[in-house]
């Protein structure tokens, strides 16, 4: 039992050391394990099941908008990667190179895809000939590799899982509309499924994707006041199309270049769930991505009828993801484990409850205990799960609002960045020099120029020149 | 319209050139495209949607048996690959090596996984300590790389998609039971979902997996009489456990080695579907893996009410995967395209049908046309789809039976292998020399020692020594 106790012992307090708290939760909730391959992780069943729920629900949203799934090779010939200049400059320093196949050296090096714009372009150049071939709205679920120097589970690893959508359109307007459409799909998904509120906006040129005309982003605020870029959607204009020769014959039989987009979300979202919702007892999962939504824990389970009743309740809750913990561990241990794993609802049922036709529902997110009449089990569980889903989003939004500041002077701006973790809204002149100075002075970056602009002043918070946009600034993962 | 015609022009006759017929179908049914990476393919929407249906249904069967999904890294350090001697000898000649990460050479080469036994062993050595940690029944869906010299879409490519299950058990009996259990899951899946009958059996030592004690296989017969290994399940005994030090404390507190299995199925199954069911009009998909099960093709669609009616039928068939082809192509072109894509049912609906409250159901597999009363649409479609699913399996089984022979003399054996494409059942002494001789004389391999043994004679068909088992022999993909 020594081993058992170890599992539920207190994790690091998040207010003492947030980074260590994060690592503790990731390991003790059994989401990942480290591996012999530096910077790569094993995603364990508890972690992968969250990803499966993300995939399933996000994929369904994609398909509603006409997305079709495909699979492209994991290798990119070096010559292909080099076709678009900005793109290769952005990615070449962080790719893994395959130089040998079997016992022979390759004639040309292949990189393991860090992202697949170049492969999709090569593919589209073969596929697209006429306006009737457009649009192409393809997506793939796969893993990608970026040779990062410092890594953290889910947040930054050398290999990670993601989806990458790549589209081709007849006009610039169609491409822009798809870019924004997918950003909205991402934002709605974060809010409705992950209970994570996000700021939608546009990246500055300094922060945009290598090769993009415009990058749009959704930015979330973690519990420690740091920002996490949670999904991006890029409009490429016709830059890649020109580099790869992707042309179509228009209705007027003129050759035109296509306009392209790409958009991606990753296993990083699991890191976001942990850091937005988790607490000092471990993970807290929103019901819609909880692999187990209800854990039934029998009390005095050796007494006749208790286990039978527990399984009877499970059967009645077949519309939900439910388990019974009938192991021979103590109820206290089981409570701790269920809390560590972030299971939204615990149902406690013992001999006295059975006698009174009652049970206790304990909410993971608030700790609230609710006595219910067993006749109403199904509706009570449905109601509480819905309530948890809604209130988790509300709490996360309230936390973000409390940690979002405005600054109009540089002193105020730096003071907030140093002393008040969170987002800082401030005006910006549009020059990269100011972004560089702010990074140097305060280790903060421009997170985005939000779609919902406010005019806080006329002047750039940094240089005092006329302002062009309001920007969300922050320290970021 | 020249382009349109090209798409539906006759594919190569399968009796003239089966290999070319296969390539034509793969391309013209729009399942794949070739890429700039030799030996790697793009799986296009029509192909990937079949894989998604395979994944969904196979994964559900796995989960019923307690399988949990995980994700392990795509890279294997060279030292890890080398830990199990037979395994590295089997795979080292055909792996791709990563030697550089970013701009720097790696300290140790990493191979791109050809299969993940070594990674799972490394993981299990960390995870398994006590009998209470067993069994581990994990699976992952991913892509793997094998640097093949000659490649063919779906059948043999340098990168392919698959699932690989890896389990660890307390006893040899438990491992053997899981090995057989998964082989049965595979066999049932092939028959019930893909409508492909399979022979279940054990591989000879020569044909078994590198590092396995026993490899079990399901073998299917393609339309051209060649065999296709369609799924394998391996029992590793404790060989990997000893190489990787995977031990657990038993109930009696003794340290014991675990016993392991692995099992896999791949995108090769799509090749099997094509080659078992396809015909000279293209692909023929069993309803359970058809991305579109019913294509509604309006006749004289410009006449008032026809398109409305077509979409009304689609709405009524919401329990099925249904599309309406409302493009401006001719009905004949639409028929050909629907046939090329293997869509099981076509519904033809025109003004006269509407007047009479009728429609025509055309079966893709037999060409049969059935006039139905529209009042019974839903039940008729359900009935016909069920019938197609059942009869496709029956036809494939009949084809296999017609192309399965027995031989008791070597002359007869060689004659069959030369002149009658199919399986040949014959007795075998158990020696690899006979397998080698047969390969040399007839380019045939032992496909498996079937679980259902028959005693055709006392003697090995090749050397005449006492026979140990009946073997299915054949030429194989």
């Amino acid at each position: 039992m020594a081993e058992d106790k170890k599992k539920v012992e207190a994790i690091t307090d998040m207010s003492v050391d947030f980074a260590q708290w994060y690592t503790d939760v990731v390991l003790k909730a059994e989401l990942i394990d480290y591996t012999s391959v530096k910077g790569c992780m094993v995603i364990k069943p508890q972690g992968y099941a969250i990803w499966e729920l993300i995939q399933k629900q996000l994929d369904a949203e994609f398909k509603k908008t006409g997305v079709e799934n495909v699979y492209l090779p994991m290798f990119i010939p070096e010559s292909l990667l080099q076709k678009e200049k900005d793109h290769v400059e952005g990615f070449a320093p962080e790719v893994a190179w395959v130089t040998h196949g079997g016992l022979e050296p390759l004639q040309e090096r292949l990189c393991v895809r860090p992202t697949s714009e170049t492969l999709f372009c090569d593919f589209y150049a073969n596929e697209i000939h006429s306006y009737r071939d457009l649009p192409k709205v393809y997506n793939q679920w796969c893993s990608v590799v970026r040779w990062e120097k410092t890594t953290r589970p889910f947040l930054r690893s050398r290999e990670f899982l993601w989806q990458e959508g790549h589209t081709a359109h007849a006009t610039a307007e169609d491409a822009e509309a798809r870019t924004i459409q997918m950003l909205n799909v991402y934002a709605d998904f974060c809010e409705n499924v992950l209970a994570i509120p996000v700021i939608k906006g546009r990246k500055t040129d300094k922060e945009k994707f290598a090769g993009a005309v415009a990058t749009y982003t959704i930015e979330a605020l973690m519990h420690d006041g740091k920002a996490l870029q949670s999904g991006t959607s890029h409009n490429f204009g016709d830059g890649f199309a020109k580099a790869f020769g992707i042309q179509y014959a228009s209705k007027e039989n003129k050759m035109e270049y296509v306009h392209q987009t790409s958009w991606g979300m990753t296993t990083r979202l699991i890191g976001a769930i942990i850091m937005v919702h988790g607490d000092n007892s471990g993970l807290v999962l929103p019901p819609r991505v909880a692999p187990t939504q209800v854990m039934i824990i029998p009390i005095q389970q050796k007494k006749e009828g208790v286990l039978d009743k527990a399984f009877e309740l499970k059967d009645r809750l077949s519309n939900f993801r439910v388990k019974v913990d009938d192991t021979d561990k103590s109820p206290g241990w089981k409570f701790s484990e269920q809390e560590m794993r972030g299971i939204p609802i615990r149902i406690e049922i013992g001999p006295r409850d059975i006698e009174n036709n009652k049970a206790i529902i304990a909410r993971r997110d608030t700790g609230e205990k609710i006595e219910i009449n067993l006749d109403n089990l199904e509706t009570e569980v449905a109601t509480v799960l819905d309530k948890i889903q809604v209130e988790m989003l509300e709490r996360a939004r309230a936390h973000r609002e409390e940690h979002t500041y405005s600054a109009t002077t540089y002193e105020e701006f730096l003071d907030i960045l140093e002393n008040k973790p969170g987002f800082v809204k401030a005006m910006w002149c549009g020059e990269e020099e100011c972004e560089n100075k702010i990074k140097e002075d305060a280790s903060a970056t421009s997170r985005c120029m939000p779609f919902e602009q406010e005019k806080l002043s006329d002047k750039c918070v940094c240089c005092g020149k006329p302002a062009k946009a309001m920007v969300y600034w922050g320290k970021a993962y």
Side-chain angles (χ1 to χ4, degrees), chain A:
Chain A
M1 290 291 110
E3 203 181 325
D4 289 356
K5 269 193 197 142
K6 238 196 290 177
K7 273 197 187 168
V8 292
E9 77 194 1
I11 50 178
T12 304
D13 188 306
M14 64 200 296
S15 65
V16 172
D17 183 345
F18 193 79
Q20 188 58 49
W21 168 85
Y22 179 81
T23 305
D24 288 351
V25 170
V26 157
L27 292 173
K28 289 189 182 162
E30 301 186 61
L31 303 181
I32 71 124
D33 200 358
Y34 294 107
T35 70
S36 297
V37 191
K38 194 181 162 324
C40 294
M41 60 186 173
V42 170
I43 306 181
K44 293 170 70 170
Q46 302 291 331
Y48 197 80
I50 298 172
W51 183 240
E52 285 182 309
L53 287 166
I54 289 174
Q55 279 193 299
K56 191 177 160 191
Q57 294 173 85
L58 192 53
D59 197 68
E61 295 303 318
F62 288 170
K63 283 175 177 158
K64 281 184 203 162
T65 75
V67 172
E68 296 182 288
N69 285 335
V70 296
Y71 186 77
L72 269 64
M74 70 156 78
F75 298 123
I76 307 174
E78 189 165 16
S79 55
L80 205 60
L81 189 69
Q82 286 173 338
K83 276 200 175 177
E84 211 286 337
K85 203 178 126 285
D86 291 337
H87 189 69
V88 65
E89 276 175 20
F91 283 102
E94 57 174 39
V95 297
W97 290 103
V98 174
T99 57
H100 288 70
L103 306 172
E104 320 250 306
L106 299 179
Q107 290 192 320
E108 179 182 13
R109 299 201 298 179
L110 303 172
C111 86
V112 182
R113 64 179 160 226
T115 178
S116 303
E117 276 72 15
T118 53
L119 288 167
F120 272 90
C121 284
D122 198 39
F123 173 44
Y124 283 151
N126 280 333
E127 289 277 308
I128 296 169
H129 306 289
S130 145
Y131 69 92
R132 284 172 299 179
D133 299 325
L134 295 173
K136 293 283 185 212
V137 185
Y138 290 167
N139 173 68
Q140 70 176 351
W141 292 92
C142 63
S143 78
V144 286
V145 168
R146 296 179 189 177
W147 219 252
E148 305 278 0
K149 292 228 160 61
T150 37
T151 60
R152 296 190 64 191
F154 295 120
L155 300 177
R156 196 171 290 277
S157 51
R158 286 188 171 172
E159 182 186 8
F160 57 87
L161 303 180
W162 79 345
Q163 59 68 218
E164 48 178 325
H166 295 266
T167 72
H169 306 268
T171 67
E173 293 68 35
D174 289 352
E176 179 68 7
R178 174 57 72 167
T179 315
I180 298 296
Q181 180 181 26
M182 298 318 291
L183 192 80
N184 286 329
V185 167
Y186 286 169
D188 291 347
F189 178 79
C190 281
E191 304 211 340
N192 298 335
V193 178
L194 309 184
I196 296 176
V198 295
I199 305 288
K200 292 190 270 191
R202 182 173 170 168
K203 286 281 185 193
T204 62
D205 281 353
K206 177 181 162 73
E207 300 289 335
K208 77 181 182 191
F209 184 82
V213 171
T215 289
Y216 300 98
T217 180
I218 50 172
E219 299 283 324
L221 197 69
M222 304 297 104
H223 195 85
D224 64 346
K226 277 175 142 176
L228 189 79
Q229 176 182 305
S230 303
T232 47
S233 187
H234 315 291
N235 184 344
F236 292 119
D238 58 6
F240 275 95
K242 285 181 172 160
F244 285 81
I246 315 174
Q247 283 184 293
Y248 69 96
S250 70
K251 277 185 190 166
E252 295 75 32
N253 212 27
K254 275 176 61 182
M255 293 310 287
E256 307 272 6
Y257 286 105
V258 300
H259 291 73
Q260 292 174 271
T261 82
S262 81
W263 23 275
M265 270 196 169
T266 80
T267 34
R268 185 166 235 225
L269 290 175
I270 299 175
I273 295 168
I274 299 166
M275 292 196 291
V276 169
H277 301 302
D279 65 20
N280 281 328
S281 302
L283 195 60
V284 181
L285 290 172
R288 292 191 62 183
V289 283
T292 306
Q293 295 174 309
V294 179
M295 181 64 88
I296 301 172
I297 299 185
I299 312 296
Q300 297 183 274
Q301 69 183 37
K302 281 179 185 157
K303 289 231 169 139
E304 203 186 317
V306 174
L307 270 183
D308 286 348
K309 193 69 179 182
F311 281 100
E312 181 196 315
L313 301 189
K314 176 175 186 283
D315 289 343
R316 285 176 56 191
L317 294 171
S318 60
N319 282 337
F320 307 93
R321 297 184 286 272
V322 184
K323 283 189 175 165
V324 174
D325 189 345
D326 62 348
T327 59
D328 54 9
K329 297 157 191 165
S330 71
W333 195 98
K334 292 177 185 179
F335 290 4
S336 297
E337 186 174 69
Q338 166 257 325
E339 288 171 3
M340 182 69 74
R341 291 192 174 178
I343 296 168
I345 282 183
R346 171 172 83 227
I347 296 180
E348 305 167 15
I349 179 97
R352 204 178 311 164
D353 302 303
I354 296 170
E355 214 171 280
N356 298 322
N357 197 38
K358 306 260 184 204
I360 300 292
I361 287 184
R363 278 176 64 163
R364 172 65 184 90
D365 62 328
T366 58
E368 187 190 353
K369 290 194 169 201
I370 306 152
E371 191 179 80
I372 63 157
N373 185 311
L374 282 182
D375 294 343
N376 311 324
L377 177 72
E378 296 87 341
T379 49
E380 292 279 5
V381 165
T383 306
V384 175
L385 285 175
D386 284 349
K387 217 170 157 191
I388 292 173
Q389 185 77 37
V390 168
E391 291 181 11
M392 284 179 74
L393 175 60
E394 281 171 9
R395 270 197 308 280
R397 185 171 279 129
H399 175 269
R400 187 189 68 189
E401 298 311 319
E402 283 160 25
H403 294 82
T404 300
Y405 308 91
S406 301
T408 48
T409 71
Y410 200 51
E411 294 66 40
E412 195 185 5
F413 183 72
L414 292 181
D415 179 58
I416 294 168
L417 282 170
E418 188 166 338
N419 299 309
K420 296 179 180 169
F423 282 131
V424 193
K425 298 189 280 189
M427 303 307 288
W428 175 56
C429 60
E431 296 300 322
E432 199 171 314
E433 287 96 74
C434 286
E435 287 180 274
N436 292 336
K437 180 165 166 53
I438 288 167
K439 184 151 197 194
E440 201 166 293
D441 291 346
S443 306
T445 49
S446 69
R447 304 314 309 151
C448 70
M449 298 177 282
F451 294 155
E452 290 187 21
Q453 283 283 316
E454 298 164 52
K455 190 168 176 181
L456 306 172
S457 91
D458 289 329
K459 291 177 191 165
C460 175
V461 74
C462 181
C463 69
K465 286 184 197 150
K468 289 203 174 135
M470 184 191 83
V471 167
Y472 272 84
W473 303 86
K475 295 178 182 171
Y477 280 96

